[in-house]
Amino acid sequence: MKKKTICFFLAAGLLLLWLFNQYIENAYDVNIFQYISYSRGLSDEEKEWLNRHGPIIYGGDKSTPPLRYQDDENQQYIGVAIDYVNSLSIELGVEIKLKPLVWQEALANLEAGKTDMCDMFPSEQRARKYLFSNPIYNLRGIMLKQATDTRINSPSDLAGKKVAVVQGDYSIEFLNARVDHITFVLTNDVVTAVQLLHNGAADAVVGDEPVVSFYVEKLRLKDSLRIVDKPLYEQNVVLAVPKAEPQLISILNKGIFAIKQKSVLEKIQQKWFGISAPILQQQVSKTTFILTAVFSIFAMMILFVFYIANEKLKNEVRRQTEELYLSRDDLQKTFDGIPYFMVVFDSDLTIMNV
């Protein structure tokens, strides 16, 4: 019984550990071991690396509002991603310089090591050139078409069509792996792609939902262009660094972890998008986690009580059975000791004992 009780409490502990791991994976995109490691902050080696390296250079797209863009009036580099990078700078205690570029130039600069990081969708092709951090936010890729076009409703409908897209955009890789015979009309920015669609030079536009929606609204094309209802994809965005800087990944992951603990991204998205959260995945709340844990432990306790009761019942049956065997043996000894001839029959007159 003692051994089985130990096994029960061990199972309950493992269940709690699993539940906690599920919670932190959902909340912070790390496992329990990473959670412990990241909670310690930067190591001495990482601090020394930052001191030797100097300012970290972020090179990103300069024309993808509201994610990242140069303001036309004051030429300031602003947006959701830029606010995030600035928060990362504060958390890590290191200067991060901002370098606005055309997207294709941002990718080339990162690969060449001229910049240190950039936010992007991870992929197999990009993994050959860059190292990726833990996820920082979530984005959807969408398709934009003419409002009167009934032909395009899914990615497969883009076969044989002209699709306007920013050069180097992840959607090109995504579609090439799934649809044949797409003619990509490459542009330097999303606004040009939207204008090509509006002018009839393209059949569709693919790109990040917030950016495409921004330009449709800004160009006042809501009546003539329409976003296809089903998203093209929905994926996490990460920070990418050059292959030559693996130390930077560990440093960035610790900063990302600290930002998620403080719910900084929620505040940033409220600033740029209002109450809704288009760049955040739905996460399990602490209350839901606690309720799940309590329910699981309660269920295990009920099972344990039933198990104990069943064990007691089996022990009682075993004890009474042993007593019956002993009683039968005593009766047999008494029967055998009687100095008279005696025969025991059953109801069918079968001899049972003599």
Side-chain angles (χ1 to χ4, degrees):
M1 175 66 74
K2 185 178 180 180
K3 191 178 291 185
K4 292 179 179 178
T5 303
I6 292 173
C7 288
F8 167 78
F9 284 108
L10 181 61
L14 290 173
L15 174 63
L16 275 177
L17 189 65
W18 179 81
L19 285 170
F20 180 68
N21 188 68
Q22 291 297 109
Y23 169 72
I24 62 175
E25 279 188 355
N26 182 272
Y28 307 120
D29 292 300
V30 297
N31 58 41
I32 193 168
F33 302 106
Q34 291 172 320
Y35 181 89
I36 295 170
S37 175
Y38 294 165
S39 297
R40 296 172 181 169
L42 296 179
S43 65
D44 292 337
E45 292 81 4
E46 289 166 340
K47 291 176 182 177
E48 183 183 346
W49 186 91
L50 286 171
N51 289 331
R52 287 198 318 269
H53 183 276
I56 295 172
I57 301 173
Y58 167 87
D61 198 328
K62 65 177 181 180
S63 57
T64 50
L67 299 180
R68 55 191 98 63
Y69 66 102
Q70 266 189 312
D71 187 82
D72 293 333
E73 294 182 1
N74 54 30
Q75 294 301 301
Q76 283 190 334
Y77 197 24
I78 58 176
V80 174
I82 305 307
D83 283 356
Y84 189 94
V85 169
N86 289 332
S87 299
L88 196 62
S89 174
I90 295 170
E91 289 297 333
L92 295 175
V94 63
E95 181 185 1
I96 299 180
K97 292 184 176 181
L98 305 173
K99 190 174 183 179
L101 299 163
V102 174
W103 179 241
Q104 189 63 18
E105 291 178 351
L107 295 176
N109 273 255
L110 185 64
E111 184 180 357
K114 294 179 181 179
T115 57
D116 297 305
M117 68 176 186
C118 179
D119 53 320
M120 64 176 69
F121 288 116
S123 70
E124 290 185 10
Q125 289 185 20
R126 288 175 174 177
R128 298 169 191 161
K129 304 176 183 178
Y130 317 114
L131 301 173
F132 301 126
S133 72
N134 291 333
I136 54 175
Y137 58 85
N138 182 263
L139 270 186
R140 292 194 300 186
I142 53 91
M143 297 184 292
L144 183 71
K145 65 176 185 177
Q146 296 282 353
T148 56
D149 191 339
T150 58
R151 302 169 301 165
I152 299 175
N153 298 294
S154 67
S156 59
D157 297 330
L158 297 176
K161 303 293 192 302
K162 290 182 180 180
V163 178
V165 60
V166 175
Q167 187 174 4
D169 194 83
Y170 168 75
S171 56
I172 298 174
E173 182 181 339
F174 179 87
L175 288 171
N176 276 334
R178 293 163 176 80
V179 186
D180 296 325
H181 310 301
I182 295 179
T183 300
F184 289 106
V185 182
L186 303 179
T187 66
N188 285 330
D189 49 48
V190 176
V191 64
T192 303
V194 173
Q195 288 169 339
L196 287 174
L197 173 62
H198 179 63
N199 296 331
D203 299 303
V205 170
V206 292
D208 298 337
E209 183 180 30
V211 183
V212 174
S213 299
F214 176 88
Y215 280 119
V216 170
E217 184 76 30
K218 182 178 180 180
L219 298 174
R220 298 180 180 179
L221 298 175
K222 292 180 68 176
D223 294 332
S224 58
L225 302 180
R226 187 171 71 84
I227 294 175
V228 176
D229 293 333
K230 188 176 180 181
L232 193 61
Y233 49 79
E234 183 170 2
Q235 292 186 192
N236 286 319
V237 174
V238 301
L239 289 173
V241 307
K243 282 276 191 178
E245 295 185 353
Q247 303 96 327
L248 185 54
I249 286 295
S250 175
I251 294 170
L252 291 176
N253 281 339
K254 289 181 178 179
I256 291 167
F257 175 73
I259 284 175
K260 287 183 177 179
Q261 280 190 309
K262 296 177 181 179
S263 302
V264 172
L265 188 57
E266 284 86 341
K267 298 169 186 175
I268 293 173
Q269 70 86 23
Q270 286 173 0
K271 169 185 172 181
W272 289 95
F273 298 102
I275 298 175
S276 61
I279 62 171
L280 296 176
Q281 286 182 307
Q282 291 296 322
Q283 297 180 338
V284 177
S285 66
K286 289 184 180 179
T287 303
T288 303
F289 166 72
I290 293 171
L291 289 174
T292 302
V294 169
F295 175 79
S296 301
I297 296 299
F298 182 69
M300 287 196 70
M301 289 180 64
I302 291 176
L303 290 174
F304 185 67
V305 168
F306 276 113
Y307 167 78
I308 295 297
N310 185 57
E311 283 294 309
K312 286 185 177 179
L313 180 60
K314 286 197 296 184
N315 290 335
E316 182 64 21
V317 170
R318 190 181 299 113
R319 184 186 65 78
Q320 292 191 16
T321 301
E322 289 174 356
E323 288 180 355
L324 286 173
Y325 280 128
L326 290 173
S327 177
R328 186 188 67 179
D329 291 343
D330 290 341
L331 287 172
Q332 186 64 44
K333 288 176 182 178
T334 303
F335 184 83
D336 292 341
I338 295 175
Y340 305 104
F341 182 74
M342 186 177 292
V343 181
V344 179
F345 298 91
D346 65 7
S347 58
D348 296 325
L349 299 182
T350 300
I351 295 174
M352 300 300 294
N353 207 348
V354 176

